[in-house]
Amino acid sequence: MNRSAEVICVGTELLLGEVLNSNAQFLGQELARLGIPHFHQTVVGDNPTRIKGAIALACQRSQLLIFTGGLGPTPDDLTTETLADFFQIPLVNHPEILEDIARKFAQRNREPSPSNGKQAWLPELAQVLPNPIGSAPGMIWHPRPELTIFTFPGVPKEFQRMWQATAVPYLQSTGWVTAQIYSRVLRFWGIPESTLADQVAPLLALTNPTVAPYASKGQARLRISTRAASVETANQVIAPIEQQIRQICGVHCFGADEDTLESVVGELLQQRGETLAVAESCTGGGLGQRITSVSGSSTYFLGGVISYANAVKQDLLKVNATDLEQHGAVSAIVAEQMAAGVRSVLQSTWGVSITGIAGPDGGTETKPVGLVYIGLSGPQGTQSFEYQISSLRGRDWVRQMSTSHALDLLRRQMLVDQP
Amino acid sequence: MNRSAEVICVGTELLLGEVLNSNAQFLGQELARLGIPHFHQTVVGDNPTRIKGAIALACQRSQLLIFTGGLGPTPDDLTTETLADFFQIPLVNHPEILEDIARKFAQRNREPSPSNGKQAWLPELAQVLPNPIGSAPGMIWHPRPELTIFTFPGVPKEFQRMWQATAVPYLQSTGWVTAQIYSRVLRFWGIPESTLADQVAPLLALTNPTVAPYASKGQARLRISTRAASVETANQVIAPIEQQIRQICGVHCFGADEDTLESVVGELLQQRGETLAVAESCTGGGLGQRITSVSGSSTYFLGGVISYANAVKQDLLKVNATDLEQHGAVSAIVAEQMAAGVRSVLQSTWGVSITGIAGPDGGTETKPVGLVYIGLSGPQGTQSFEYQISSLRGRDWVRQMSTSHALDLLRRQMLVDQP
């Protein structure tokens, strides 16, 4: 069967480069995962003539057309109308769509505006593809035999939820998906991608499963992939290789798939029945924000102190004024006092602190931008760790790396300390 | 002059979603900035037939074709060969290209491989477009009158350097750049995109400047764009419309272009010489994190308390134990006591607090997921505000919206309170 899919992203904001077309990448990954051939991606603006041109071309060469964007309530959202017009099929009103929109707006104590009305019109015989999050629904439509059209809103979160909830099951139930590609992603911290690749070099040459290294935001990963008819058969191929990698890389591997440093730290704390408090300077709350991004973190996270000003370090964290003066706020000893201080004030098992120079300003000869001290205080005592994070990638990067290092330090410490 | 440009990105890795197509966004921004009309973007894999299909289509409708990708030394890099083949023009060897590659390799103590040889062949009469960083050169080529073709390597850093160094000057010197497009983006909080669109409906029909609404992360925006020969003339067209919009929308418009809620709040605090402290429960530090994402925030942000556990609310923020018991941690009175507490403990001009149910668990009949109270304490006293944020988009969304509401409340309060 030589059927193929084609992606058409609609939106002048894409042509103007105001929005990065992450939907096209997501669809590329998904279609590859589902084993659906996919040879063309097109971006057109909110212009009926050019949208029609893209439709005409795509339905000559592909049997599944996936549209993203142009489903909103405003006059420049034209995807649905233009599709109906191209295939000369009348639009019919779906009152249930407007009711659903009204329900969602009501939750936010709002009312649909007149312009939402147009979102309730779909071509005759098109199925509504519900949007669990936002207002714009999509559709699954067969304007002619052997041609399937999906429309999705352009908002990535909404589009991805709808894709997983309705499009994937539909494709699986209609013969589009034969064998899938299953992957397991192992996640690493504290080891560069190149070092990791060298350590597992022989495995990178495997053909089934394949093992591919990549990295983003300072986190190295290994993806183990195999093409299989079921998840069980896939696991039989993937599991032994995962085991080998874990043996080679040891503690550097902090988790797999959806794991994050904060979720792994949370699981360890929960298993040990221990609690955590944070003291943050240059990250300004970013560490607490990451820890509490894990649902249920209230069982082990007590809270913390954002000690941006030195007075707060002294008053709330009992940091020694003389040490602050002599060594400066960005120093090992202050980091240690912040960690020990927040641990004693909040009476937690662990106290973690971050103080550093996030930049772009504030750096000096002896204390350049990117210099960060992390304090770690626990049942076995208090230590600090110095990092020089590259300042080239800016303030956000320094802050992001700082919170990751802090979480990883706590993780490694819990692995060696017995509760 | 109705000439237009078209972008064709070549690479199977793009179709597989292994690479995010940032080149297309970069070109979109650049062509918009230069005022060069650009209506289509296409992605095709490393396949001669489909690359030819894309060429055939593009040169019917556009006079400037910009290719990225497919210039490397490996057999699957086919852009140059396929272009020459399509236009039936022979390839000629440019020894200087291979010499340049050899020079660059020598710097890294490497030697060109035989496969680099193919990179030295360009279609007859094509100009070499030198690559200052990498090995793959591009070209500027006129295969026929009124048709210009650029080729660039797919590596974003190399491509962008080459674009700025050679393509932009070429376009400016050959009449492609007559007038540039200048845009002004107005940013709104507290008003949905659809309501905003209704309020400024007449302006959306304008042709010069154009006014287009869009939204992301709950933030509605209006983009005012005009095509002009200079920024001064552009401002003459844009300013009066911006003024009209600001009159219509009033306080809902919090800023323009690069402004964020946190940067605008920061500017107001700085102007007033006032300070801010935060008390965060369900956001766990996210509000402080956003405030301190602004470089220089230490001049007005003192810090705060992450009071995730009730004990911290009582001990550090002096929240009344009986009120906590009677009304619960997620209540107006606790929000007010948190805000007033952090304000007095940190001795700041303003105290802002957030307490709510971020979910997905923890919701009840009377206090559903998404219920958030924001406390605001300042020189004029302390108040609280209740929000019911849609829980459909999940925990991160509830937290993100909470911090945005908190920043916006402070902003609006500062606009009415005189310092």
Side-chain angles (χ1 to χ4, degrees), chain A residues 320-343:
Chain A
N320 181 294
T322 330
D323 291 329
L324 260 175
E325 184 137 334
Q326 283 179 5
H327 304 277
V330 179
S331 60
I333 188 163
V334 168
E336 289 166 23
Q337 290 180 18
M338 285 170 66
V342 79
R343 175 171 181 258

Side-chain angles (χ1 to χ4, degrees), chain B residues 5 8 18 89 92 114 124 140 162 226 265 273 303 416:
Chain B
I8 299 169
E18 285 161 2
I89 308 255
V92 297
E124 213 164 50
I140 300 180
M162 292 164 72
T226 186
V265 162
V416 291

Side-chain angles (χ1 to χ4, degrees), chain A residues 23 59 93 107 161 188 204 395 400 417:
Chain A
N23 291 342
C59 62
N93 186 279
Q107 288 182 334
R161 281 272 297 262
F188 301 81
L204 301 185
R395 179 179 179 83
Q400 172 75 18
D417 287 10

Side-chain angles (χ1 to χ4, degrees), chain A residues 161-212:
Chain A
R161 281 272 297 262
M162 291 164 73
W163 172 263
Q164 301 295 4
T166 44
V168 172
Y170 175 88
L171 293 169
Q172 285 165 332
S173 67
T174 51
W176 275 95
V177 181
T178 50
Q180 289 191 38
I181 292 172
Y182 294 88
S183 293
R184 175 99 167 144
V185 175
L186 296 182
R187 300 175 173 275
F188 301 81
W189 193 263
I191 178 173
E193 182 187 10
S194 52
T195 313
L196 180 62
D198 293 342
Q199 287 188 3
V200 300
L203 298 176
L204 301 185
L206 292 176
T207 54
N208 183 35
T210 59
V211 179

Side-chain angles (χ1 to χ4, degrees), chain B residues 20-234:
Chain B
L20 185 57
N21 192 354
S22 61
N23 291 343
Q25 181 184 30
F26 175 82
L27 276 170
Q29 290 168 339
E30 282 294 290
L31 293 169
R33 180 177 69 81
L34 299 170
I36 297 174
H38 157 233
F39 304 121
H40 302 88
Q41 292 181 345
T42 307
V43 175
V44 282
D46 304 302
N47 172 294
T49 312
R50 286 188 283 269
I51 295 173
K52 283 183 190 172
I55 300 168
L57 184 68
C59 61
Q60 285 165 27
R61 60 192 183 190
S62 304
Q63 297 70 41
L64 171 62
L65 314 190
I66 305 168
F67 288 81
T68 68
L71 303 188
T74 61
D76 64 341
D77 294 303
L78 297 164
T79 302
T80 311
E81 300 86 319
T82 309
L83 277 164
D85 188 25
F86 177 87
F87 290 103
Q88 294 294 302
I89 308 255
L91 292 165
V92 297
N93 186 281
H94 293 252
E96 73 276 17
I97 292 178
L98 207 51
E99 288 158 18
D100 176 64
I101 293 176
R103 227 185 345 268
K104 292 192 183 110
F105 276 53
Q107 290 170 346
R108 286 170 276 163
N109 306 316
R110 283 172 48 199
E111 285 193 350
S113 73
S115 54
N116 288 108
K118 76 194 277 282
Q119 297 179 291
W121 293 83
L122 298 182
E124 213 164 50
L125 299 181
Q127 296 168 250
V128 179
L129 206 153
N131 182 335
I133 314 174
S135 68
M139 66 175 176
I140 300 180
W141 186 34
H142 303 283
R144 57 168 82 141
E146 292 310 304
L147 178 63
T148 302
I149 290 180
F150 286 140
T151 65
F152 296 97
V155 182
K157 269 211 168 85
E158 300 178 14
F159 157 56
Q160 292 179 19
R161 280 275 296 267
M162 292 164 72
W163 173 263
Q164 302 295 4
T166 45
V168 172
Y170 175 88
L171 293 169
Q172 284 165 333
S173 67
T174 52
W176 272 97
V177 182
T178 50
Q180 297 193 19
I181 290 175
Y182 297 87
S183 291
R184 177 100 166 139
V185 174
L186 296 181
R187 299 174 174 276
F188 300 82
W189 193 262
I191 179 171
E193 181 189 10
S194 51
T195 313
L196 180 61
D198 292 340
Q199 285 189 4
V200 300
L203 298 177
L204 301 186
L206 293 176
T207 54
N208 183 37
T210 58
V211 180
Y214 54 113
S216 80
K217 293 184 178 168
Q219 182 191 119
R221 302 170 195 182
L222 288 175
R223 183 179 66 250
I224 316 170
S225 304
T226 186
R227 189 165 178 162
S230 76
V231 63
E232 292 71 21
T233 47

Side-chain angles (χ1 to χ4, degrees), chain B residues 395-406:
Chain B
R395 179 178 178 84
D396 291 350
W397 176 260
V398 172
R399 283 151 47 93
Q400 172 75 15
M401 290 301 102
S402 300
T403 55
S404 293
H405 286 312

Side-chain angles (χ1 to χ4, degrees), chain B residues 25 40 57 84 110 143 175 180 253 267 305 308 327 349 387 390-391 408:
Chain B
Q25 181 184 30
H40 302 88
L57 184 68
R110 283 172 48 199
Q180 297 193 19
C253 177
E267 282 159 25
V305 172
Y308 218 56
H327 304 278
T349 321
Y387 293 87
S390 164
S391 59
D408 192 55

Side-chain angles (χ1 to χ4, degrees), chain A residues 178-182 226-238:
Chain A
T178 50
Q180 289 191 38
I181 292 172
Y182 294 88
T226 185
R227 188 171 175 132
S230 78
V231 64
E232 291 72 21
T233 47
N235 288 342
Q236 286 163 13
V237 179
I238 290 173

